[in-house]
Amino acid sequence: MRPYLVLFFIILISCSDDNFNKVESLGDFRVLAIVATPPEVGPGGGNVDLQLYVSDVKSGGRSFTGTTVSCLDPGISSGASVSCDHDPTRQTGSYTIDTTAGDPSGNLSTGLNTDILPVIVPGQLLSGRSARDKFNGVGYITIFTFNVDGKVVKVLKRINITSRNDLNFNPASSSLELNGAVFSGTPQKNDSLSVSSTDQETYSYQNVDNSTEVLQEKYKVAFFASSGELDLPKADVGEKSKFTKGLDSGQFVIISVVRDERGGVEIIRVP
Amino acid sequence: MYLFLSLLALAHSAFAGSLLERGTRTPIGDANIFVLPMKLKAVSNANGIFSFPQITGEDCDIIVNLSGYGKYEKSLKCADVNTMTIFLEKKFYKNFETTVTGKVNKRDDQGQSLTQEEFLMAPGSFGGDPVRAAQNLPGVAQNGGSAQIIVQGASPDDTGYLINGHRVPLVFHFGGLSSVIIPQAVERVELLPSGYGPEYSRAIGGIIGLTTKEPRTDRLHGMAFVDLLNTGALIEGPIDEKSSFLAAGRYSYIGQVLKAVAKENENFELTAAPTYYDFTTIYSRKLNATNTLKATFVASKDELELIFNKSPANDPELRGDFYNRTEFFRFIPQVTTELSGKTKMENSLGIGRDSILVNIAGRYLEVESNVLSQRSEIVHEWSGTSKSYFGLDNQISVDEVRVNLPNSYSVGGVGNPFSVGENKKFDSNGTEILLGAYLRQELKPSQDSRWTYLPNVRVDHFSTTQETFLQPRFQLRYQWDPTLLLRGTWGLYAQPPQPQETSRDYGNKKIRSPYAIHYTTGFTKDFRNGETNGFEVTNNYFFKELKDLVFPSVEKNYENSGTGTILGSEIQAKYRKDAWAGQFVYTYLDSKRNIPGFGTQPSEFDQTHNLNLIGSYTLERWTFGGRFRFVTGNPYTPITGATFDSDNDVYIPTRGQIYSQRFEAFNQLDVRVDRKVIYDRWILTYYIDVLNIMNSKNSQNIEYSYDYSQKKKVRGLPILPTIGVKGEF
């Protein structure tokens, strides 16, 4: 328990330095989300397409290639390092970012990258695992690594392998609103962004004491903007995030990434 | 009684009275009272009563001139006066004058203790707190405002906290500013850092023990205080000829202060101001010629609730309601029996309940424990050269635990964000039984031998791990001369794992108990030659081997994978010269841990140099005190990069070499000023205690940006004054 209390006191006394880069600010190259289609597969494995949603506002558009490696999750949620070095059957590949073409082009280099990484999730990965692992699922991870502007950008995506019959799907019915109405115009200071969504699924989850409970997805929203600042860059569905600093004049882009906390993701971009 | 004696005196004389100490009303016996110019003299008895058989003449002077007191001189018309009370003002008053501190029964030469008089005056102790004052002792680390005590480079979890010998879950209130008992109800605080005897166990690092005082029996006494953080009161006195009582309570309004400060903060709002209170009662009764009862009740509660409006950038899950409540009580009846002139027995129970609730945005930990502990000790002096102590030290706790928390894997002080850990939700009930028995022997080859051998042994059984430990602990003393004591110890110390480490659902049922082997040697040299003024020097060397340390494991949650060594030396030099007192306290430490996969590195609590310079000066009713601390900065693990976890929208930090970097050295100057005003029947004290008066910017932690690409050192306590006023009678 001590780590949580220590963490709490650190937060209490420090709570976000104003001079740090804002999490919602788009500028340097960033991966905002990875879309897996589908986000979950059955015990027999399957083919999953991974596509990166990127932002590279400052560059004005460019192309570069990074590496990929896919493997069984080494136990990241239990503290293992993000790496595939433990898995001799890991799959390696490459992935090209191009913000001059396709979706990112013309949107301040921010959008769904055109390259698709096909990942073959092997079958039989659940064999030998506990009943709880089989039910809740184990992860098959892909790590993308890029060297950009002298910095290493490393991104992780999990594909969940589960014996549950009802597999998860990506949310698809969310809408981005400005001041509670359909988004239009250019947001000003004190205007509020929010996301409405209706398709939160229910699913079963097995606890460590083997009791099973039915949970409902709670979508989480991350807002990003090419300029301006938000008071609540991470919010719940329906929760308003206010611009504490308005957008700069001229072209802008605003992104909302909706996550279902089970690997499913939906992205809305304006304009 | 006074009234009766006074009336008796009046019946047989023309002029009688009582002689009392000003402020405390303590009777002054065996003092000469003169009446001039009649040249009459009376001597006060033990109750301060005096009388003159006959005084002739009208004008007279009453004079009392007693060593240690201011001269009393008063002119009056003797013929008009039948009775009078004379108050003599002492030249020097103690801090909490209405308390008589007991003699420290010090068994362990390696241990250190502070009496009430010492800790109430300690600068930096925030109004005389005993446990904060104990941090001035050698071997105790600077803890950066934590509510835990770090002894000789061990982990805080390796320190045991005791009240009257019985284990309690915590010793500090919220934030570590104040211990859980009002200081004026504490007789002494003891620190047993290493090489301690067989009486205590289950703590491989050390023991912090608080002993409550015996209530006074002479008359009713009271004390009340108020300062910037809290207010409290104490009352004590006799009930009848055989029994006495003490009741004390304290309430902190630090939360109201914090709430006002945090009002403008957009990141969080305090819905219930953090607060704490504690309550202590002590009842003492002489049951018969051989049995004495002392029953202590201690209750403590801390509570805090707030709402995080905004999550920290690097952990979006940490948003919403935060609630923390920690409370416990102990009822500790102790019966001391004088079986004969050479045999003494003490039996005590600790009956209580511990309750902890932490709720972080819907995730929670709730622990309810009913605790019964029992201690017995029989001491027999076989001869002038042989003395034995046999004791039992048992505890049973019935626990109910409710958990709904993510996995909290952390190595090197770097853990994954809350959002990344696999959530674990379960309820668990269990019973933990800790059994202990010990035998302590004090043997001298002959009456006049300078050697004392202490071949001690302790046996502990821990039900959780089903382990039994035979722990030999040898101590050796050599009294070189009456002023120089040399000593050495060697011993084995085991402690049960932490509850979460052996949890079926959160930990590893196969975890074993960590243990340590302590080696110590040292000396104490008293240069004072029986005087009050002069030097006293204590120098200790210690080495601890730590085995089977429990560390987090990715595969098994926890493993007994760690080992460690702690090597150090400490010196305490005390000097007193009349109104001046000073201490030089220095500890050198090299505390290392080895974790498979991570290599050998300094421990999180390795503070190579720890220097305390403490001084005080008393000038009539003023006391000035100061403490300067210089401590090597704590090690920390650098973060060398981060991976964006696109599912949880969070960055997972990449550890560098663990504990390979250090914060800057810590330095802090604390000052304290006390001013007493003595009235006939009570004493008023004003005090100001300022922590970090130089406002040194000591780094205590590191804050990172959302992607760990930027960082900022978080400073510790800024200048923090507390001003208080205390009245006592």
Side-chain angles (χ1 to χ4, degrees):
Chain A
M1 197 57 231
R2 197 169 62 87
Y4 294 126
L5 293 177
V6 171
L7 182 65
F8 162 70
F9 286 114
I10 293 166
I11 292 162
L12 186 65
I13 58 174
S14 58
C15 264
S16 298
D17 188 290
D18 285 341
N19 297 318
F20 285 166
N21 294 336
K22 303 292 177 192
V23 67
E24 71 272 25
S25 298
L26 299 177
D28 292 333
F29 172 73
R30 274 173 78 178
V31 177
L32 304 183
I34 301 177
V35 183
T37 312
E40 218 168 44
V41 298
N47 297 324
V48 177
D49 289 341
L50 299 183
Q51 209 170 354
L52 271 55
Y53 201 96
V54 300
S55 177
D56 198 16
V57 175
K58 279 187 184 169
S59 78
R62 58 182 160 173
S63 177
F64 51 88
T65 299
T67 61
T68 69
V69 59
S70 302
C71 62
L72 187 65
D73 185 342
I76 293 165
S77 66
S78 299
S81 301
V82 181
S83 165
C84 281
D85 293 349
H86 67 287
D87 188 352
T89 64
R90 59 186 178 270
Q91 303 172 49
T92 57
S94 63
Y95 189 87
T96 299
I97 301 283
D98 187 353
T99 53
T100 64
D103 193 37
S105 171
N107 291 293
L108 289 177
S109 307
T110 300
L112 191 65
N113 195 53
T114 50
D115 198 3
I116 294 173
L117 179 74
V119 175
I120 302 165
V121 180
Q124 305 304 313
L125 289 179
L126 293 182
S127 64
R129 305 296 289 248
S130 68
R132 179 170 178 269
D133 278 354
K134 287 177 181 170
F135 190 80
N136 293 335
V138 297
Y140 192 77
I141 65 168
T142 299
I143 303 165
F144 296 80
T145 306
F146 305 98
N147 279 290
V148 193
D149 303 327
K151 288 185 283 192
V152 176
V153 176
K154 204 170 163 187
V155 193
L156 161 73
K157 175 68 185 175
R158 295 175 191 81
I159 300 160
N160 199 39
I161 311 165
T162 174
S163 63
R164 267 194 304 245
N165 291 327
D166 50 339
L167 297 177
N168 189 27
F169 56 83
N170 286 315
S173 65
S174 305
S175 61
L176 178 62
E177 297 175 345
L178 182 65
N179 299 325
V182 175
F183 192 100
S184 67
T186 304
Q188 305 297 314
K189 185 179 178 184
N190 294 326
D191 283 346
S192 295
L193 296 174
S194 60
V195 164
S196 66
S197 191
T198 54
D199 61 354
Q200 285 97 324
E201 298 169 85
T202 57
Y203 65 100
S204 299
Y205 183 83
Q206 206 170 87
N207 290 311
V208 285
D209 59 3
N210 293 325
S211 64
T212 302
E213 62 181 322
V214 176
L215 303 173
Q216 182 161 31
E217 291 175 340
K218 290 179 184 168
Y219 286 2
K220 299 285 182 187
V221 184
F223 294 107
F224 301 92
S226 52
S227 60
E229 289 178 10
L230 291 161
D231 70 345
L232 207 57
K234 314 274 187 183
D236 294 330
V237 163
E239 199 170 23
K240 290 186 174 175
S241 179
K242 192 168 72 178
F243 276 94
T244 54
K245 190 176 163 188
L247 291 171
D248 296 340
S249 57
Q251 195 181 3
F252 72 90
V253 63
I254 292 173
I255 309 292
S256 64
V257 178
V258 181
R259 290 180 171 85
D260 66 7
E261 295 196 299
R262 301 168 62 205
V265 61
E266 181 185 10
I267 299 149
I268 309 162
R269 182 187 64 202
V270 289
Chain B
M1 180 62 88
Y2 294 149
L3 185 63
F4 173 75
L5 290 169
S6 299
L7 290 172
L8 197 66
L10 267 176
H12 295 87
S13 65
F15 177 26
S18 56
L19 183 63
L20 304 175
E21 188 175 283
R22 194 162 186 237
T24 67
R25 289 180 282 160
T26 304
I28 301 172
D30 204 24
N32 295 327
I33 300 102
F34 296 97
V35 179
L36 299 177
M38 295 78 175
K39 295 185 178 177
L40 296 175
K41 185 181 101 172
V43 180
S44 60
N45 65 15
N47 295 314
I49 304 296
F50 63 88
S51 63
F52 292 92
Q54 189 64 50
I55 298 178
T56 56
E58 285 208 342
D59 295 332
C60 65
D61 293 327
I62 308 291
I63 296 170
V64 185
N65 198 358
L66 190 63
S67 174
Y69 291 86
K71 185 178 180 183
Y72 179 87
E73 194 165 6
K74 188 171 184 181
S75 299
L76 46 81
K77 294 199 178 297
C78 289
D80 298 340
V81 178
N82 290 325
T83 63
M84 72 177 302
T85 302
I86 298 173
F87 291 99
L88 282 192
E89 191 165 329
K90 250 194 332 187
K91 287 180 178 167
F92 296 102
Y93 281 80
K94 290 190 285 187
N95 189 279
F96 181 47
E97 192 61 40
T98 52
T99 292
V100 175
T101 54
K103 188 175 181 295
V104 175
N105 178 21
K106 193 176 171 186
R107 286 189 191 174
D108 278 296
D109 303 318
Q110 295 294 121
Q112 298 271 351
S113 61
L114 291 173
T115 61
Q116 189 181 85
E117 177 59 14
E118 291 170 310
F119 61 70
L120 284 177
M121 293 294 286
S125 64
F126 229 68
D129 186 83
V131 186
R132 282 193 69 86
Q135 293 176 323
N136 291 346
L137 295 173
V140 182
Q142 180 281 122
N143 66 354
S146 152
Q148 293 172 302
I149 304 290
I150 299 157
V151 179
Q152 288 183 342
S155 161
D157 291 336
D158 298 341
T159 304
Y161 305 126
L162 309 176
I163 294 178
N164 291 349
H166 292 266
R167 187 70 74 111
V168 290
L170 70 162
V171 73
F172 270 134
H173 283 299
F174 172 85
L177 287 176
S178 169
S179 56
V180 293
I181 300 185
I182 192 169
Q184 288 79 4
V186 177
E187 180 182 294
R188 66 178 188 274
V189 54
E190 280 179 295
L191 167 68
L192 304 174
S194 55
Y196 58 86
E199 294 87 344
Y200 303 110
S201 189
R202 303 163 193 153
I204 60 176
I207 298 281
I208 294 277
L210 297 172
T211 303
T212 57
K213 61 171 288 191
E214 285 287 339
R216 295 198 69 179
T217 56
D218 57 341
R219 63 173 176 83
L220 190 68
H221 293 265
M223 182 280 302
F225 74 93
V226 57
D227 64 25
L228 290 179
L229 296 181
N230 50 184
T231 183
L234 176 147
I235 189 163
E236 62 178 324
I239 297 172
D240 54 36
E241 286 187 351
K242 290 184 173 177
S243 55
S244 57
F245 81 103
L246 178 151
R250 192 168 43 165
Y251 171 74
S252 168
Y253 30 76
I254 183 175
Q256 306 302 332
V257 178
L258 275 178
K259 199 168 181 176
V261 172
K263 204 172 180 180
E264 302 300 318
N265 196 313
E266 294 175 352
N267 294 321
F268 63 88
E269 60 184 83
L270 288 162
T271 47
T275 188
Y276 63 76
Y277 39 91
D278 54 59
F279 181 66
T280 306
T281 62
I282 306 168
Y283 172 74
S284 180
R285 183 173 179 82
K286 181 96 177 151
L287 298 174
N288 52 41
T290 56
N291 290 289
T292 306
L293 168 72
K294 179 182 171 188
T296 301
F297 177 82
V298 177
S300 164
K301 182 172 182 176
D302 292 47
E303 197 168 27
L304 164 70
E305 184 172 13
L306 55 82
I307 295 174
F308 283 112
N309 296 322
K310 195 173 178 180
S311 59
N314 57 5
D315 208 342
E317 280 284 296
L318 283 176
R319 193 161 71 89
D321 186 51
F322 177 93
Y323 178 75
N324 178 212
R325 167 177 53 75
T326 308
E327 58 188 341
F328 79 91
F329 78 85
R330 286 291 183 281
F331 173 60
I332 307 172
Q334 296 168 280
V335 176
T336 305
T337 307
E338 293 283 349
L339 293 171
S340 71
K342 292 187 173 181
T343 309
K344 186 178 169 184
M345 187 166 70
E346 188 166 300
N347 289 288
S348 63
L349 293 174
I351 304 158
R353 184 174 173 84
D354 306 336
S355 175
I356 299 169
L357 173 61
V358 182
N359 186 328
I360 308 171
R363 311 287 178 87
Y364 54 80
L365 167 71
E366 186 171 11
V367 181
E368 300 284 341
S369 295
N370 292 306
V371 182
L372 173 65
S373 53
Q374 175 265 330
R375 292 189 69 94
S376 298
E377 186 182 77
I378 186 162
V379 185
H380 181 73
E381 191 167 353
W382 303 97
S383 66
T385 60
S386 174
K387 195 173 180 181
S388 299
Y389 305 69
F390 174 73
L392 300 173
D393 176 12
N394 304 314
Q395 180 175 312
I396 179 168
S397 60
V398 180
D399 311 316
E400 293 174 33
V401 182
R402 292 176 59 234
V403 178
N404 180 12
L405 286 173
N407 191 305
S408 63
Y409 179 91
S410 171
V411 167
V414 178
N416 285 348
F418 208 69
S419 324
V420 174
E422 181 195 6
N423 198 64
K424 295 189 174 178
K425 181 180 174 187
F426 60 91
D427 295 351
S428 169
N429 299 327
T431 300
E432 184 182 35
I433 299 171
L434 305 171
L435 303 176
Y438 62 87
L439 179 64
R440 176 188 174 96
Q441 297 278 356
E442 291 180 3
L443 305 172
K444 288 168 79 76
S446 63
Q447 284 274 22
D448 54 356
S449 172
R450 294 178 175 185
W451 291 97
T452 306
Y453 306 104
L454 296 101
N456 310 319
V457 68
R458 179 174 174 114
V459 180
D460 273 301
H461 176 79
F462 308 143
S463 70
T464 315
T465 58
Q466 285 299 309
E467 289 173 296
T468 301
F469 284 89
L470 179 69
Q471 297 156 88
R473 298 176 187 177
F474 296 107
Q475 297 175 307
L476 191 63
R477 292 180 195 154
Y478 182 77
Q479 194 75 49
W480 184 282
D481 63 36
T483 66
L484 178 61
L485 175 71
L486 308 177
R487 57 183 172 266
T489 72
W490 172 86
L492 191 70
Y493 300 81
Q495 72 180 27
Q498 298 296 311
Q500 72 274 16
E501 294 165 355
T502 53
S503 161
R504 183 195 62 197
D505 302 311
Y506 209 83
N508 178 356
K509 289 296 284 180
K510 293 181 178 174
I511 284 294
R512 301 182 305 278
S513 301
Y515 65 97
I517 304 167
H518 294 187
Y519 307 81
T520 74
T521 185
F523 70 88
T524 298
K525 172 71 178 172
D526 191 342
F527 294 94
R528 294 175 297 179
N529 294 320
E531 301 291 321
T532 307
N533 290 339
F535 269 113
E536 187 183 15
V537 178
T538 299
N539 184 201
N540 292 321
Y541 301 88
F542 52 88
F543 177 67
K544 300 180 185 180
E545 285 182 88
L546 312 176
K547 310 273 191 183
D548 278 351
L549 296 179
V550 181
F551 279 95
S553 157
V554 173
E555 293 82 18
K556 299 175 182 174
N557 295 329
Y558 292 98
E559 279 187 290
N560 288 98
S561 54
T563 58
T565 57
I566 301 172
L567 173 70
S569 169
E570 55 197 25
I571 184 165
Q572 181 183 39
K574 295 180 184 175
Y575 178 73
R576 180 176 283 277
K577 173 74 175 167
D578 302 325
W580 291 91
Q583 281 191 58
F584 170 91
V585 182
Y586 171 75
T587 305
Y588 170 81
L589 192 71
D590 182 21
S591 176
K592 287 191 166 64
R593 300 290 180 277
N594 182 278
I595 316 169
F598 295 94
T600 300
Q601 65 283 319
S603 88
E604 183 181 355
F605 310 103
D606 178 53
Q607 297 175 348
T608 311
H609 305 285
N610 184 338
L611 172 69
N612 280 326
L613 298 173
I614 303 158
S616 70
Y617 175 67
T618 304
L619 177 66
E620 296 179 345
R621 301 291 172 254
W622 292 88
T623 304
F624 306 89
R627 174 184 70 166
F628 174 73
R629 304 193 84 180
F630 174 87
V631 187
T632 304
N634 279 6
Y636 70 89
T637 303
I639 290 175
T640 55
T643 302
F644 178 52
D645 177 346
S646 69
D647 297 307
N648 293 304
D649 191 22
V650 76
Y651 284 75
I652 299 172
T654 307
R655 287 179 202 89
Q657 176 66 35
I658 67 173
Y659 295 124
S660 58
Q661 295 186 10
R662 283 185 185 271
F663 290 106
E664 299 87 1
F666 173 98
N667 65 84
Q668 181 171 308
L669 177 64
D670 309 319
V671 297
R672 182 184 169 108
V673 179
D674 289 74
R675 163 79 171 118
K676 281 187 185 300
V677 182
I678 312 294
Y679 296 95
D680 283 348
R681 295 175 183 277
W682 65 293
I683 298 172
L684 183 67
T685 306
Y686 307 95
Y687 60 89
I688 179 166
D689 198 342
V690 188
L691 295 185
N692 194 15
I693 196 167
M694 305 292 284
N695 200 25
S696 300
K697 292 177 171 51
N698 297 303
S699 301
Q700 303 279 297
N701 224 310
I702 296 179
E703 181 193 358
Y704 292 93
S705 62
Y706 72 91
D707 58 355
Y708 296 88
S709 64
Q710 295 166 291
K711 66 180 179 181
K712 186 188 81 169
K713 293 206 170 137
V714 178
R715 307 296 181 188
L717 210 59
I719 181 169
L720 184 59
T722 182
I723 299 168
V725 59
K726 179 175 72 183
E728 55 185 296
F729 67 87

